[in-house]
Amino acid sequence: MEKFMIPAAEKILKGDKMLKSIDTDVFESLRTKNVDALIAAKNSGSRIIGMYCAYCPRELILAAGAIPIGLCGTVESAIPDAEKDLPRNLCPMVKSSYGLAVSDKCPYFALSDMVIGETTCDGKKKMFEIMESKNIKDVYVMHLPQMPDNNVSVDLWLSELRRLKDYLGKKFHVQITDAKLREAIHITNEEKRVLQKLLDLNQQQPVLISGMDMLKITYRIGFHPDRKEAIRLIEQVADGVNRAFPAGDLKTKRILLTGTPVGIGSEKVIKLVEESNALIVAQENCGGYKNVGLHIDENDPIDPLLLMARKYMKIPCSVMSPNNDRIDLIKKMIRDFHIDGVIDLTWQACHTYNLESYMVAKAVKDDMGLPFLHLETDYSQSDVETLRVRIEAFLEMIN
Amino acid sequence: MLTAGLDIGSRTIALVEWDGMHIVRKEVVFTGIDPLKKSQQLMAGKHYDASVATGYGRHLASVNTLANCVITEIKAYAVGAHQLFPDVRTILDIGGQDSKVIQVKPDGAVANFEMNDKCAAGTGRFLENMALALDLNIEQLGPHALEASGKGVVLSSMCTVFAESEVVSLIGRGEDSHSVALGIHQSIVNRVCAVVRRVGYHPRFVFAGGVALNPCMRQLIEHELKIPVSVPADPQIVGALGAAIQAANNLSGKKN
Ligand code: SF4
Ligand code: SF4
């Protein structure tokens, strides 16, 4: 059965390699450069701290003079190593993250002086316990409150930020001053600002940048050791966009991807959509648009940690209850990006996103009147052809 | 005008030739191990003004120029069923290796769909394996079950492999094979109807695909969903018919 399944439209992706609105080669080359640069930074005394989630307070890491690096596992190859210790029926992102850590296959994990986790979902928080028990790394877990509209949540998160601040100060013998925190807030604001500028380019009709190219940029840039340089690179690519070479035409179907995070290695749904001649115009997920709009007012004179605590409680992630902001964000993105249909991706065994799909479906279908597709899958390639049928059928519904 | 619709499924290949009004020719053959060759044989020596492929092998057909366009079996079933029953609103298709439920808008466009393709339970493959366990061929299984005097035996296993050994041991325990056969049908109906309820259903309800040839399945679905079920005269060619009509629509520039 497998052998006669042929991808739909590889030719379209190949033919126009030269004629792109943006140059992704710079970011492609970061793949090896990032590791080298991190090793160099480490050798000259820099600290590196691994993060697993958008809730990780990167401003504190920057203010401690350390380099923040995202360690979320997006590759299938690390999963067998994880399944030696973890149940099979677990989110592939949790398994991949753990597998990369214990197998020593991830240079970024190896280079990290410590990693920070949060009590987001059950899978992650129990995985961190096991990771810690392996004694391979300093694993620091933060207690993330889960009812963001409740005032005590900001209080709890604020005290967790203070606890981390003390910990980093002692561990790395640094003084995290308010001035340093404000500088870190500024850098983080800037990074979100330029990212949003880049992502917003796709509000254009026709779409300028394919979902795959956008993913390459946002994913690779996350491993850059120098955030200021990263900001410069993102702004440069956004400013240099060539509008004469859009990624599609006015008839290309414009799809919004929401749900669980996607990275290089776990991009199969984006690939399938774009092989079927539609485009992922925007992603609401982590790594995409989820928190690019969350800015801290740099002129507000109150405790910078409190400003941070408030910001983080606004991230519209499914681990929060209720999570109405995600629905509002999806509706706003549908309008801003002229979306024709929404795909909601759930990694297998991710209960929070899986359940929340009910609300997303209602908002997309009933309130916005658009076709909606919920996909539940993992990192393996075994279901690619059945996913392709679903995706093609979903695209046929758009007319 | 002559168009062709080719539905390359995992178990059977169906071909329909369409002149814009009527089915001119229809064929159903087993897919076998070389679906491309089988399809080429079916279409040999014919000239079509347009052809559309659907089913798992749709891209294979199009890459090998057997079809100038592909549509999914979801759309193909919607178009085909809408031709046969213009008032269709829900389609249940149970094929050899998957099953799907499609909700259709009044104009025949797909409104919503759900597929089961993760395991053999809830597909024709389940029935085939159970028929084997009962020493019946697949055509006999439905009528055999309809002869049961009382209720069907409740099967506890959903998995095809476990259900097979359960059937063997039920027979070994002296259970009536008619009741066991009825229980087998009930088990797959329960599973499929759960998906139907999830998607939602309205009359007219059309039941298509190879498994719709089984009279017991149709009766049980009617009973379970409390809705009249229409089975096309030739339930295996609905997808190919939809593809052939789509080819004609493409020619005339009609959308959908
Ligand atoms: S989706 Fe939620 S839990 Fe996952 S990385 Fe993003 S914020 Fe963290
Ligand atoms: S995708 Fe879901 S289960 Fe996986 S790490 Fe994120 S919140 Fe947890």
Side-chain angles (χ1 to χ4, degrees), chain A residues 1 3-6 8 365 386 388-390 392-394 396-397 399, chain B residues 33 35 57-60 63 71-72 74-75 97 111 113 115 117 256:
Chain A
M1 209 176 97
K3 85 172 195 301
F4 60 89
M5 291 157 179
I6 285 155
K365 288 200 282 196
T386 57
R388 194 191 300 280
V389 177
R390 284 193 172 86
E392 285 182 14
F394 160 73
E396 285 170 348
M397 285 164 66
N399 263 311
Chain B
I33 53 161
R58 64 196 179 287
H59 291 299
L60 174 84
V63 166
I71 58 176
T72 64
I74 309 286
K75 181 167 180 175
Q97 275 183 7
F113 66 92
M115 294 176 74
D117 43 30
N256 293 314

PDB file of all heavy atoms in Angstrom, chain A residues 1 3-6 8 365 386 388-390 392-394 396-397 399, chain B residues 33 35 57-60 63 71-72 74-75 97 111 113 115 117 256:
ATOM      1  N   MET A   1       0.825  -1.206   0.000  1.00  0.00           N
ATOM      2  CA  MET A   1       0.000   0.000   0.000  1.00  0.00           C
ATOM      3  C   MET A   1       0.858   1.255   0.000  1.00  0.00           C
ATOM      4  O   MET A   1       0.607   2.180  -0.759  1.00  0.00           O
ATOM      5  CB  MET A   1      -0.879  -0.014   1.230  1.00  0.00           C
ATOM      6  CG  MET A   1      -2.179   0.717   1.038  1.00  0.00           C
ATOM      7  SD  MET A   1      -3.193   0.532   2.519  1.00  0.00           S
ATOM      8  CE  MET A   1      -2.838   2.041   3.368  1.00  0.00           C
ATOM      9  N   LYS A   3       3.701   1.948  -1.224  1.00  0.00           N
ATOM     10  CA  LYS A   3       4.652   2.292  -2.269  1.00  0.00           C
ATOM     11  C   LYS A   3       4.104   3.221  -3.358  1.00  0.00           C
ATOM     12  O   LYS A   3       4.851   3.902  -4.024  1.00  0.00           O
ATOM     13  CB  LYS A   3       5.253   1.018  -2.861  1.00  0.00           C
ATOM     14  CG  LYS A   3       4.474   0.348  -3.963  1.00  0.00           C
ATOM     15  CD  LYS A   3       5.303  -0.774  -4.555  1.00  0.00           C
ATOM     16  CE  LYS A   3       4.789  -1.265  -5.883  1.00  0.00           C
ATOM     17  NZ  LYS A   3       3.459  -1.782  -5.922  1.00  0.00           N
ATOM     18  N   PHE A   4       2.780   3.227  -3.536  1.00  0.00           N
ATOM     19  CA  PHE A   4       2.293   4.073  -4.628  1.00  0.00           C
ATOM     20  C   PHE A   4       1.728   5.413  -4.149  1.00  0.00           C
ATOM     21  O   PHE A   4       0.867   6.009  -4.748  1.00  0.00           O
ATOM     22  CB  PHE A   4       1.289   3.327  -5.503  1.00  0.00           C
ATOM     23  CG  PHE A   4       0.068   2.850  -4.806  1.00  0.00           C
ATOM     24  CD1 PHE A   4      -1.057   3.655  -4.697  1.00  0.00           C
ATOM     25  CD2 PHE A   4       0.039   1.570  -4.275  1.00  0.00           C
ATOM     26  CE1 PHE A   4      -2.185   3.186  -4.070  1.00  0.00           C
ATOM     27  CE2 PHE A   4      -1.089   1.111  -3.638  1.00  0.00           C
ATOM     28  CZ  PHE A   4      -2.208   1.920  -3.530  1.00  0.00           C
ATOM     29  N   MET A   5       2.249   5.894  -3.051  1.00  0.00           N
ATOM     30  CA  MET A   5       1.785   7.192  -2.579  1.00  0.00           C
ATOM     31  C   MET A   5       2.812   8.256  -2.918  1.00  0.00           C
ATOM     32  O   MET A   5       3.910   8.275  -2.407  1.00  0.00           O
ATOM     33  CB  MET A   5       1.577   7.134  -1.087  1.00  0.00           C
ATOM     34  CG  MET A   5       0.400   6.256  -0.762  1.00  0.00           C
ATOM     35  SD  MET A   5       0.497   5.652   0.873  1.00  0.00           S
ATOM     36  CE  MET A   5      -1.009   4.710   0.931  1.00  0.00           C
ATOM     37  N   ILE A   6       2.440   9.117  -3.767  1.00  0.00           N
ATOM     38  CA  ILE A   6       3.398  10.077  -4.281  1.00  0.00           C
ATOM     39  C   ILE A   6       3.002  11.490  -3.845  1.00  0.00           C
ATOM     40  O   ILE A   6       1.845  11.878  -3.941  1.00  0.00           O
ATOM     41  CB  ILE A   6       3.457   9.958  -5.817  1.00  0.00           C
ATOM     42  CG1 ILE A   6       4.238   8.689  -6.172  1.00  0.00           C
ATOM     43  CG2 ILE A   6       4.123  11.172  -6.436  1.00  0.00           C
ATOM     44  CD1 ILE A   6       3.921   8.123  -7.488  1.00  0.00           C
ATOM     45  N   ALA A   8       2.175  15.351  -3.580  1.00  0.00           N
ATOM     46  CA  ALA A   8       1.364  16.073  -4.547  1.00  0.00           C
ATOM     47  C   ALA A   8       2.153  17.031  -5.424  1.00  0.00           C
ATOM     48  O   ALA A   8       2.052  16.992  -6.630  1.00  0.00           O
ATOM     49  CB  ALA A   8       0.265  16.816  -3.818  1.00  0.00           C
ATOM     50  N   LYS A 365     -15.672  27.737  13.407  1.00  0.00           N
ATOM     51  CA  LYS A 365     -16.782  27.335  12.545  1.00  0.00           C
ATOM     52  C   LYS A 365     -18.018  28.206  12.763  1.00  0.00           C
ATOM     53  O   LYS A 365     -18.587  28.755  11.834  1.00  0.00           O
ATOM     54  CB  LYS A 365     -17.142  25.864  12.802  1.00  0.00           C
ATOM     55  CG  LYS A 365     -16.087  24.916  12.256  1.00  0.00           C
ATOM     56  CD  LYS A 365     -16.615  23.518  12.063  1.00  0.00           C
ATOM     57  CE  LYS A 365     -16.695  22.771  13.371  1.00  0.00           C
ATOM     58  NZ  LYS A 365     -16.844  21.321  13.189  1.00  0.00           N
ATOM     59  N   THR A 386      -2.416   9.440   5.410  1.00  0.00           N
ATOM     60  CA  THR A 386      -3.788   9.667   5.872  1.00  0.00           C
ATOM     61  C   THR A 386      -3.973  11.129   6.271  1.00  0.00           C
ATOM     62  O   THR A 386      -5.037  11.693   6.065  1.00  0.00           O
ATOM     63  CB  THR A 386      -4.147   8.729   7.042  1.00  0.00           C
ATOM     64  OG1 THR A 386      -3.209   8.939   8.084  1.00  0.00           O
ATOM     65  CG2 THR A 386      -4.092   7.285   6.623  1.00  0.00           C
ATOM     66  N   ARG A 388      -2.525  13.485   4.732  1.00  0.00           N
ATOM     67  CA  ARG A 388      -2.630  14.171   3.444  1.00  0.00           C
ATOM     68  C   ARG A 388      -4.072  14.160   2.926  1.00  0.00           C
ATOM     69  O   ARG A 388      -4.572  15.162   2.419  1.00  0.00           O
ATOM     70  CB  ARG A 388      -1.689  13.522   2.419  1.00  0.00           C
ATOM     71  CG  ARG A 388      -1.475  14.369   1.171  1.00  0.00           C
ATOM     72  CD  ARG A 388      -0.761  13.596   0.065  1.00  0.00           C
ATOM     73  NE  ARG A 388       0.551  13.105   0.421  1.00  0.00           N
ATOM     74  CZ  ARG A 388       1.659  13.857   0.416  1.00  0.00           C
ATOM     75  NH1 ARG A 388       1.593  15.112   0.077  1.00  0.00           N
ATOM     76  NH2 ARG A 388       2.817  13.335   0.750  1.00  0.00           N
ATOM     77  N   VAL A 389      -4.757  13.018   3.093  1.00  0.00           N
ATOM     78  CA  VAL A 389      -6.154  12.950   2.656  1.00  0.00           C
ATOM     79  C   VAL A 389      -6.981  13.985   3.423  1.00  0.00           C
ATOM     80  O   VAL A 389      -7.767  14.744   2.857  1.00  0.00           O
ATOM     81  CB  VAL A 389      -6.752  11.552   2.889  1.00  0.00           C
ATOM     82  CG1 VAL A 389      -8.227  11.534   2.498  1.00  0.00           C
ATOM     83  CG2 VAL A 389      -5.987  10.499   2.120  1.00  0.00           C
ATOM     84  N   ARG A 390      -6.798  14.009   4.739  1.00  0.00           N
ATOM     85  CA  ARG A 390      -7.570  14.943   5.550  1.00  0.00           C
ATOM     86  C   ARG A 390      -7.285  16.386   5.150  1.00  0.00           C
ATOM     87  O   ARG A 390      -8.186  17.205   5.036  1.00  0.00           O
ATOM     88  CB  ARG A 390      -7.208  14.768   7.021  1.00  0.00           C
ATOM     89  CG  ARG A 390      -7.809  13.562   7.658  1.00  0.00           C
ATOM     90  CD  ARG A 390      -7.639  13.666   9.163  1.00  0.00           C
ATOM     91  NE  ARG A 390      -8.376  12.614   9.824  1.00  0.00           N
ATOM     92  CZ  ARG A 390      -7.878  11.400  10.035  1.00  0.00           C
ATOM     93  NH1 ARG A 390      -6.652  11.105   9.643  1.00  0.00           N
ATOM     94  NH2 ARG A 390      -8.614  10.486  10.631  1.00  0.00           N
ATOM     95  N   GLU A 392      -6.033  17.542   2.301  1.00  0.00           N
ATOM     96  CA  GLU A 392      -6.546  17.858   0.965  1.00  0.00           C
ATOM     97  C   GLU A 392      -8.070  18.037   1.003  1.00  0.00           C
ATOM     98  O   GLU A 392      -8.613  18.943   0.365  1.00  0.00           O
ATOM     99  CB  GLU A 392      -6.164  16.760  -0.039  1.00  0.00           C
ATOM    100  CG  GLU A 392      -4.694  16.812  -0.449  1.00  0.00           C
ATOM    101  CD  GLU A 392      -4.333  15.740  -1.480  1.00  0.00           C
ATOM    102  OE1 GLU A 392      -5.240  15.127  -2.080  1.00  0.00           O
ATOM    103  OE2 GLU A 392      -3.126  15.508  -1.687  1.00  0.00           O
ATOM    104  N   ALA A 393      -8.754  17.176   1.750  1.00  0.00           N
ATOM    105  CA  ALA A 393     -10.214  17.283   1.832  1.00  0.00           C
ATOM    106  C   ALA A 393     -10.611  18.598   2.507  1.00  0.00           C
ATOM    107  O   ALA A 393     -11.587  19.250   2.122  1.00  0.00           O
ATOM    108  CB  ALA A 393     -10.799  16.092   2.590  1.00  0.00           C
ATOM    109  N   PHE A 394      -9.854  18.988   3.508  1.00  0.00           N
ATOM    110  CA  PHE A 394     -10.104  20.266   4.185  1.00  0.00           C
ATOM    111  C   PHE A 394      -9.898  21.421   3.207  1.00  0.00           C
ATOM    112  O   PHE A 394     -10.718  22.352   3.140  1.00  0.00           O
ATOM    113  CB  PHE A 394      -9.152  20.361   5.385  1.00  0.00           C
ATOM    114  CG  PHE A 394      -8.920  21.734   5.925  1.00  0.00           C
ATOM    115  CD1 PHE A 394      -9.914  22.384   6.657  1.00  0.00           C
ATOM    116  CD2 PHE A 394      -7.714  22.375   5.724  1.00  0.00           C
ATOM    117  CE1 PHE A 394      -9.694  23.648   7.164  1.00  0.00           C
ATOM    118  CE2 PHE A 394      -7.488  23.628   6.231  1.00  0.00           C
ATOM    119  CZ  PHE A 394      -8.480  24.276   6.949  1.00  0.00           C
ATOM    120  N   GLU A 396     -10.221  21.289   0.039  1.00  0.00           N
ATOM    121  CA  GLU A 396     -11.319  21.264  -0.947  1.00  0.00           C
ATOM    122  C   GLU A 396     -12.567  21.971  -0.419  1.00  0.00           C
ATOM    123  O   GLU A 396     -13.402  22.429  -1.184  1.00  0.00           O
ATOM    124  CB  GLU A 396     -11.679  19.808  -1.298  1.00  0.00           C
ATOM    125  CG  GLU A 396     -10.680  19.126  -2.218  1.00  0.00           C
ATOM    126  CD  GLU A 396     -10.923  17.625  -2.353  1.00  0.00           C
ATOM    127  OE1 GLU A 396     -11.732  17.063  -1.564  1.00  0.00           O
ATOM    128  OE2 GLU A 396     -10.304  17.004  -3.210  1.00  0.00           O
ATOM    129  N   MET A 397     -12.681  22.013   0.915  1.00  0.00           N
ATOM    130  CA  MET A 397     -13.864  22.675   1.500  1.00  0.00           C
ATOM    131  C   MET A 397     -13.790  24.193   1.369  1.00  0.00           C
ATOM    132  O   MET A 397     -14.767  24.897   1.564  1.00  0.00           O
ATOM    133  CB  MET A 397     -13.985  22.309   2.985  1.00  0.00           C
ATOM    134  CG  MET A 397     -14.486  20.887   3.229  1.00  0.00           C
ATOM    135  SD  MET A 397     -14.171  20.350   4.935  1.00  0.00           S
ATOM    136  CE  MET A 397     -15.255  21.464   5.839  1.00  0.00           C
ATOM    137  N   ASN A 399     -13.661  27.420  -0.683  1.00  0.00           N
ATOM    138  CA  ASN A 399     -13.890  27.853  -2.067  1.00  0.00           C
ATOM    139  C   ASN A 399     -14.332  29.289  -2.166  1.00  0.00           C
ATOM    140  O   ASN A 399     -14.944  29.808  -1.286  1.00  0.00           O
ATOM    141  CB  ASN A 399     -14.902  26.952  -2.751  1.00  0.00           C
ATOM    142  CG  ASN A 399     -14.192  25.898  -3.578  1.00  0.00           C
ATOM    143  OD1 ASN A 399     -13.290  26.236  -4.355  1.00  0.00           O
ATOM    144  ND2 ASN A 399     -14.551  24.647  -3.384  1.00  0.00           N
TER     145      ASN A 399
ATOM    146  N   ILE B  33      -1.519  -6.007  -6.214  1.00  0.00           N
ATOM    147  CA  ILE B  33      -0.238  -5.412  -5.827  1.00  0.00           C
ATOM    148  C   ILE B  33       0.244  -4.385  -6.838  1.00  0.00           C
ATOM    149  O   ILE B  33       1.244  -3.730  -6.617  1.00  0.00           O
ATOM    150  CB  ILE B  33       0.855  -6.495  -5.646  1.00  0.00           C
ATOM    151  CG1 ILE B  33       0.938  -7.366  -6.896  1.00  0.00           C
ATOM    152  CG2 ILE B  33       0.599  -7.334  -4.405  1.00  0.00           C
ATOM    153  CD1 ILE B  33       2.236  -8.123  -6.993  1.00  0.00           C
ATOM    154  N   PRO B  35      -1.585  -1.519  -8.601  1.00  0.00           N
ATOM    155  CA  PRO B  35      -2.790  -0.744  -8.899  1.00  0.00           C
ATOM    156  C   PRO B  35      -2.647   0.087 -10.181  1.00  0.00           C
ATOM    157  O   PRO B  35      -3.637   0.289 -10.894  1.00  0.00           O
ATOM    158  CB  PRO B  35      -2.944   0.165  -7.682  1.00  0.00           C
ATOM    159  CG  PRO B  35      -1.645   0.137  -6.978  1.00  0.00           C
ATOM    160  CD  PRO B  35      -0.999  -1.164  -7.311  1.00  0.00           C
ATOM    161  N   GLY B  57      -4.769   5.916  -4.177  1.00  0.00           N
ATOM    162  CA  GLY B  57      -3.831   5.929  -5.288  1.00  0.00           C
ATOM    163  C   GLY B  57      -3.991   7.111  -6.217  1.00  0.00           C
ATOM    164  O   GLY B  57      -3.474   7.099  -7.328  1.00  0.00           O
ATOM    165  N   ARG B  58      -4.695   8.159  -5.764  1.00  0.00           N
ATOM    166  CA  ARG B  58      -5.025   9.255  -6.676  1.00  0.00           C
ATOM    167  C   ARG B  58      -3.786   9.945  -7.263  1.00  0.00           C
ATOM    168  O   ARG B  58      -3.750  10.264  -8.450  1.00  0.00           O
ATOM    169  CB  ARG B  58      -5.928  10.279  -5.989  1.00  0.00           C
ATOM    170  CG  ARG B  58      -5.288  11.007  -4.810  1.00  0.00           C
ATOM    171  CD  ARG B  58      -6.342  11.708  -3.953  1.00  0.00           C
ATOM    172  NE  ARG B  58      -5.735  12.375  -2.808  1.00  0.00           N
ATOM    173  CZ  ARG B  58      -5.242  11.769  -1.723  1.00  0.00           C
ATOM    174  NH1 ARG B  58      -5.271  10.447  -1.644  1.00  0.00           N
ATOM    175  NH2 ARG B  58      -4.718  12.460  -0.749  1.00  0.00           N
ATOM    176  N   HIS B  59      -2.767  10.144  -6.427  1.00  0.00           N
ATOM    177  CA  HIS B  59      -1.582  10.847  -6.933  1.00  0.00           C
ATOM    178  C   HIS B  59      -0.773   9.954  -7.867  1.00  0.00           C
ATOM    179  O   HIS B  59      -0.177  10.427  -8.822  1.00  0.00           O
ATOM    180  CB  HIS B  59      -0.722  11.338  -5.771  1.00  0.00           C
ATOM    181  CG  HIS B  59      -1.377  12.443  -5.002  1.00  0.00           C
ATOM    182  ND1 HIS B  59      -1.699  13.643  -5.590  1.00  0.00           N
ATOM    183  CD2 HIS B  59      -1.817  12.521  -3.722  1.00  0.00           C
ATOM    184  CE1 HIS B  59      -2.283  14.430  -4.697  1.00  0.00           C
ATOM    185  NE2 HIS B  59      -2.379  13.765  -3.553  1.00  0.00           N
ATOM    186  N   LEU B  60      -0.797   8.656  -7.589  1.00  0.00           N
ATOM    187  CA  LEU B  60      -0.138   7.708  -8.480  1.00  0.00           C
ATOM    188  C   LEU B  60      -0.747   7.816  -9.873  1.00  0.00           C
ATOM    189  O   LEU B  60      -0.048   7.873 -10.876  1.00  0.00           O
ATOM    190  CB  LEU B  60      -0.333   6.292  -7.941  1.00  0.00           C
ATOM    191  CG  LEU B  60       0.180   5.179  -8.844  1.00  0.00           C
ATOM    192  CD1 LEU B  60       1.659   4.971  -8.619  1.00  0.00           C
ATOM    193  CD2 LEU B  60      -0.577   3.888  -8.594  1.00  0.00           C
ATOM    194  N   VAL B  63       0.227  11.282 -11.445  1.00  0.00           N
ATOM    195  CA  VAL B  63       1.633  11.371 -11.850  1.00  0.00           C
ATOM    196  C   VAL B  63       1.860  10.562 -13.131  1.00  0.00           C
ATOM    197  O   VAL B  63       2.641  10.935 -13.991  1.00  0.00           O
ATOM    198  CB  VAL B  63       2.543  10.874 -10.704  1.00  0.00           C
ATOM    199  CG1 VAL B  63       3.955  10.627 -11.207  1.00  0.00           C
ATOM    200  CG2 VAL B  63       2.555  11.888  -9.575  1.00  0.00           C
ATOM    201  N   ILE B  71      -9.006  14.461  -6.752  1.00  0.00           N
ATOM    202  CA  ILE B  71      -9.797  14.969  -5.622  1.00  0.00           C
ATOM    203  C   ILE B  71      -9.738  13.903  -4.530  1.00  0.00           C
ATOM    204  O   ILE B  71      -9.431  12.742  -4.797  1.00  0.00           O
ATOM    205  CB  ILE B  71     -11.271  15.279  -6.003  1.00  0.00           C
ATOM    206  CG1 ILE B  71     -11.981  14.036  -6.551  1.00  0.00           C
ATOM    207  CG2 ILE B  71     -11.342  16.424  -7.001  1.00  0.00           C
ATOM    208  CD1 ILE B  71     -13.464  14.268  -6.843  1.00  0.00           C
ATOM    209  N   THR B  72     -10.015  14.284  -3.306  1.00  0.00           N
ATOM    210  CA  THR B  72      -9.996  13.289  -2.241  1.00  0.00           C
ATOM    211  C   THR B  72     -11.265  12.453  -2.311  1.00  0.00           C
ATOM    212  O   THR B  72     -12.274  12.858  -2.901  1.00  0.00           O
ATOM    213  CB  THR B  72      -9.957  13.942  -0.857  1.00  0.00           C
ATOM    214  OG1 THR B  72     -11.162  14.684  -0.673  1.00  0.00           O
ATOM    215  CG2 THR B  72      -8.754  14.846  -0.705  1.00  0.00           C
ATOM    216  N   ILE B  74     -13.207  12.040   0.016  1.00  0.00           N
ATOM    217  CA  ILE B  74     -14.252  12.775   0.747  1.00  0.00           C
ATOM    218  C   ILE B  74     -15.121  13.560  -0.250  1.00  0.00           C
ATOM    219  O   ILE B  74     -16.343  13.432  -0.277  1.00  0.00           O
ATOM    220  CB  ILE B  74     -13.618  13.786   1.740  1.00  0.00           C
ATOM    221  CG1 ILE B  74     -12.577  13.125   2.628  1.00  0.00           C
ATOM    222  CG2 ILE B  74     -14.698  14.503   2.539  1.00  0.00           C
ATOM    223  CD1 ILE B  74     -13.080  12.253   3.700  1.00  0.00           C
ATOM    224  N   LYS B  75     -14.448  14.334  -1.073  1.00  0.00           N
ATOM    225  CA  LYS B  75     -15.185  15.134  -2.050  1.00  0.00           C
ATOM    226  C   LYS B  75     -15.849  14.236  -3.091  1.00  0.00           C
ATOM    227  O   LYS B  75     -16.988  14.474  -3.493  1.00  0.00           O
ATOM    228  CB  LYS B  75     -14.225  16.109  -2.735  1.00  0.00           C
ATOM    229  CG  LYS B  75     -14.921  16.993  -3.738  1.00  0.00           C
ATOM    230  CD  LYS B  75     -14.061  18.144  -4.171  1.00  0.00           C
ATOM    231  CE  LYS B  75     -14.826  18.999  -5.172  1.00  0.00           C
ATOM    232  NZ  LYS B  75     -14.074  20.195  -5.534  1.00  0.00           N
ATOM    233  N   GLN B  97     -10.462  -0.565   4.261  1.00  0.00           N
ATOM    234  CA  GLN B  97      -9.484  -0.272   5.302  1.00  0.00           C
ATOM    235  C   GLN B  97      -9.723   1.036   6.034  1.00  0.00           C
ATOM    236  O   GLN B  97      -8.929   1.417   6.884  1.00  0.00           O
ATOM    237  CB  GLN B  97      -8.077  -0.279   4.706  1.00  0.00           C
ATOM    238  CG  GLN B  97      -7.538  -1.687   4.675  1.00  0.00           C
ATOM    239  CD  GLN B  97      -6.136  -1.767   4.161  1.00  0.00           C
ATOM    240  OE1 GLN B  97      -5.484  -0.765   3.930  1.00  0.00           O
ATOM    241  NE2 GLN B  97      -5.666  -2.984   3.980  1.00  0.00           N
ATOM    242  N   ALA B 111     -19.455  19.759   4.193  1.00  0.00           N
ATOM    243  CA  ALA B 111     -19.529  20.696   5.311  1.00  0.00           C
ATOM    244  C   ALA B 111     -18.578  20.285   6.427  1.00  0.00           C
ATOM    245  O   ALA B 111     -18.042  21.114   7.147  1.00  0.00           O
ATOM    246  CB  ALA B 111     -20.958  20.770   5.844  1.00  0.00           C
ATOM    247  N   PHE B 113     -16.247  16.477   7.960  1.00  0.00           N
ATOM    248  CA  PHE B 113     -16.001  15.046   7.771  1.00  0.00           C
ATOM    249  C   PHE B 113     -15.147  14.516   8.898  1.00  0.00           C
ATOM    250  O   PHE B 113     -14.489  15.262   9.611  1.00  0.00           O
ATOM    251  CB  PHE B 113     -15.313  14.777   6.426  1.00  0.00           C
ATOM    252  CG  PHE B 113     -13.912  15.344   6.348  1.00  0.00           C
ATOM    253  CD1 PHE B 113     -12.810  14.570   6.704  1.00  0.00           C
ATOM    254  CD2 PHE B 113     -13.698  16.647   5.944  1.00  0.00           C
ATOM    255  CE1 PHE B 113     -11.524  15.088   6.643  1.00  0.00           C
ATOM    256  CE2 PHE B 113     -12.412  17.185   5.890  1.00  0.00           C
ATOM    257  CZ  PHE B 113     -11.330  16.399   6.238  1.00  0.00           C
ATOM    258  N   MET B 115     -12.683  10.808   9.681  1.00  0.00           N
ATOM    259  CA  MET B 115     -12.220   9.536   9.121  1.00  0.00           C
ATOM    260  C   MET B 115     -11.685   8.642  10.213  1.00  0.00           C
ATOM    261  O   MET B 115     -11.105   9.121  11.168  1.00  0.00           O
ATOM    262  CB  MET B 115     -11.067   9.773   8.132  1.00  0.00           C
ATOM    263  CG  MET B 115     -11.455  10.515   6.901  1.00  0.00           C
ATOM    264  SD  MET B 115      -9.990  10.808   5.894  1.00  0.00           S
ATOM    265  CE  MET B 115      -9.705   9.159   5.240  1.00  0.00           C
ATOM    266  N   ASP B 117      -8.959   5.762  10.213  1.00  0.00           N
ATOM    267  CA  ASP B 117      -8.044   4.963   9.410  1.00  0.00           C
ATOM    268  C   ASP B 117      -6.910   4.464  10.281  1.00  0.00           C
ATOM    269  O   ASP B 117      -5.893   4.029   9.799  1.00  0.00           O
ATOM    270  CB  ASP B 117      -7.495   5.789   8.238  1.00  0.00           C
ATOM    271  CG  ASP B 117      -7.125   7.187   8.680  1.00  0.00           C
ATOM    272  OD1 ASP B 117      -6.753   7.350   9.847  1.00  0.00           O
ATOM    273  OD2 ASP B 117      -7.214   8.112   7.858  1.00  0.00           O
ATOM    274  N   ASN B 256     -16.929  23.131  -8.107  1.00  0.00           N
ATOM    275  CA  ASN B 256     -17.327  21.909  -7.415  1.00  0.00           C
ATOM    276  C   ASN B 256     -17.740  20.825  -8.364  1.00  0.00           C
ATOM    277  O   ASN B 256     -18.902  20.635  -8.623  1.00  0.00           O
ATOM    278  CB  ASN B 256     -18.472  22.134  -6.431  1.00  0.00           C
ATOM    279  CG  ASN B 256     -18.013  22.982  -5.294  1.00  0.00           C
ATOM    280  OD1 ASN B 256     -16.958  22.749  -4.737  1.00  0.00           O
ATOM    281  ND2 ASN B 256     -18.788  23.988  -4.957  1.00  0.00           N
TER     282      ASN B 256
END
